[in-house]
Amino acid sequence: MEKRITVIRGDGIGPEIVEQALRVLTRVAEKYGRRFVYQEILAGGAAIDACGTSLPEESLQKCLDCDSVLLGAVGGPKWDGVPKEIRPEAALLGIRSAMGLYANLRPARLFPQLAAASPLKPEIAGQGIDLMLVRELIGGAYFGEHRTGLENGELVAHDDMVYAAHEIERIARAAFAIARKRSSRVVSVDKANVLDTSRLWRKVVHEVAAEFPDVSCTDMLVDNAAMQLVKNPAQFDVIVTENLFGDILSDEASMVTGSIGMMASASMGDGTRGMYEPIHGSAPDIAGKDLANPIGTILSAAMMLRYSFDMPDEADCVEQAVNAVLDAGFRTADCMSEGCTRLSCSQMGDRILGQIC
Ligand code: IPM
Ligand code: MG
């Protein structure tokens, strides 16, 4: 059966890293007798340049009419001055929202081979990190009303943070279901000592927790969670949190595992269709130089195989190929350490392909 993948190469390093992920997908398809059909669309800065808007209607339609979306990265300083409605980031938020992708899964795992690249002390990193950050993706401050205007003679800005109970319930349920397949421990992160949205969050999460008696559930305030992630990251199995906290904590979680360039993500809704993207940005400073780490994107493609296409063998194959290349001491610049061999983005792609035969 054929799978239709909508591809957004995007901006900055996006095209380079997506290229490597597509090579990997194509090789996997050959090996396992699958057929992937790619339809490329413009979104983000590239779409602003070509069509004057970051999310042309036709692009959005192709995200809604496919089996999954693979995205590199969007944005860059070039588009800092454009109106907020058409900023590259608006395209990303528009796609997430239109596709109903409320659950953003961001696995943070310390590859033992990369322990030396982690900024944590060896005695902390040595305990291992293997957590799944489940971030609510289409609610909260990102999607509340934003406005700036004169009030009492000065400029005042508002960003409404809004959560309805059903939005919390569905993300909590997703997190508990994931925990069941892991070590059955959920930490729900909020700021319930200050925010009403967090107090509702906590109440609803506890109600959902009651449906999963086999999964433990503890609450943690977000400031403490930020601290615990560097003090004792091994304590976490699944973290579930709202959109903005999840954005921040996932960058932190990725860094403690050695490199943000390694971290993949899946954004899911109620069906099997998802959007898959590395969690890092478009890194304009290294764009076009063949320096970027394609592994976050390649592992995102592996998540697509696993979560959207129900192809666990194919996903395992990609993950094992990445592992083997790291085992052999190959690194891109971002996670280079002594004694390793430094590769460019495309050479890293070559090495990973070489493991899939
Ligand atoms: C992410 C990114 C996006 C977000 C930006 C680019 C809008 O930081 O996916 O984490 O904040 O969600
Ligand atoms: Mg982010």
Side-chain angles (χ1 to χ4, degrees):
M1 201 181 36
E2 109 181 3
K3 295 288 181 195
R4 285 176 313 139
I5 303 173
T6 292
V7 177
I8 306 171
R9 290 178 187 255
D11 309 315
I13 58 171
E16 303 159 53
I17 54 179
V18 166
E19 181 63 28
Q20 301 313 316
L22 292 180
R23 291 174 73 203
V24 167
L25 280 173
T26 302
R27 176 67 61 87
V28 166
E30 278 162 23
K31 175 169 176 178
Y32 290 88
R34 305 290 192 178
R35 197 171 130 73
F36 301 141
V37 178
Y38 309 108
Q39 47 179 5
E40 300 228 10
I41 62 163
L42 285 178
I48 297 177
D49 290 349
C51 330
T53 177
S54 59
L55 184 56
E57 185 54 38
E58 188 197 331
S59 293
L60 181 59
Q61 275 314 318
K62 287 193 169 136
C63 292
L64 295 172
D65 177 27
C66 69
D67 294 305
S68 268
V69 180
L70 179 70
L71 176 122
V74 294
K78 182 177 176 193
W79 303 281
D80 274 350
V82 305
K84 65 181 183 188
E85 297 75 26
I86 63 158
R87 275 188 71 94
E89 293 80 4
L92 193 56
L93 303 189
I95 296 171
R96 288 173 178 171
S97 168
M99 291 178 73
L101 307 175
Y102 59 83
N104 183 217
L105 317 182
R106 299 190 157 182
R109 191 160 73 81
L110 181 69
F111 287 83
Q113 307 95 316
L114 287 187
S118 169
L120 298 181
K121 287 185 188 150
E123 59 266 34
I124 298 178
Q127 294 177 17
I129 304 170
D130 184 0
L131 64 90
M132 177 70 90
L133 197 139
V134 180
R135 168 189 178 193
E136 199 292 323
L137 201 59
I138 52 175
Y142 276 63
F143 289 90
E145 192 195 337
H146 307 286
R147 63 178 200 281
T148 306
L150 278 175
E151 292 177 29
N152 301 321
E154 67 172 336
L155 278 174
V156 177
H158 299 251
D159 296 289
D160 276 356
M161 187 173 195
V162 185
Y163 269 106
H166 78 271
E167 296 173 293
I168 304 170
E169 193 182 325
R170 65 189 180 186
I171 187 72
R173 203 161 268 132
F176 282 97
I178 288 165
R180 240 179 205 165
K181 295 189 183 162
R182 297 176 44 105
S183 303
S184 297
R185 288 179 289 118
V186 170
V187 173
S188 169
V189 170
D190 62 37
K191 189 71 186 172
N193 51 351
V194 177
L195 301 176
D196 261 37
T197 44
S198 282
R199 286 187 271 269
L200 179 63
W201 179 275
R202 210 174 258 215
K203 176 178 179 292
V204 175
V205 167
H206 289 184
E207 285 163 10
V208 174
E211 295 169 26
F212 294 81
D214 52 317
V215 179
S216 82
C217 175
T218 35
D219 303 304
M220 193 178 278
L221 294 173
V222 63
D223 45 354
N224 185 27
M227 187 172 76
Q228 295 299 330
L229 271 173
V230 289
K231 192 174 167 216
N232 178 15
Q235 70 185 286
F236 294 109
D237 176 27
V238 172
I239 295 176
V240 63
T241 193
E242 66 89 39
N243 204 346
L244 182 58
F245 298 162
D247 178 47
I248 298 166
L249 293 180
S250 59
D251 268 32
E252 188 189 5
S254 72
M255 197 58 230
V256 300
T257 64
S259 170
I260 192 169
M262 303 286 302
M263 201 162 162
S265 85
S267 302
M268 311 290 298
D270 283 327
T272 56
R273 190 185 57 199
M275 174 152 77
Y276 297 82
E277 54 178 313
I279 81 148
H280 59 73
S282 59
D285 51 324
I286 58 163
K289 297 185 179 156
D290 199 19
L291 282 176
N293 186 348
I295 294 181
T297 318
I298 290 171
L299 292 176
S300 298
M303 290 183 89
M304 174 187 288
L305 297 171
R306 191 180 302 285
Y307 293 110
S308 284
F309 300 166
D310 194 22
M311 299 180 182
D313 294 342
E314 289 83 339
D316 285 346
C317 167
V318 174
E319 288 170 3
Q320 279 159 16
V322 169
N323 242 314
V325 170
L326 294 175
D327 274 342
F330 295 111
R331 306 281 187 273
T332 41
D334 52 302
C335 51
M336 185 60 193
S337 22
E338 222 181 288
C340 293
T341 310
R342 185 173 155 169
L343 299 183
S344 67
C345 177
S346 52
Q347 287 168 334
M348 181 55 89
D350 294 343
R351 290 283 166 180
I352 294 171
L353 277 187
Q355 295 291 331
I356 308 173
C357 30

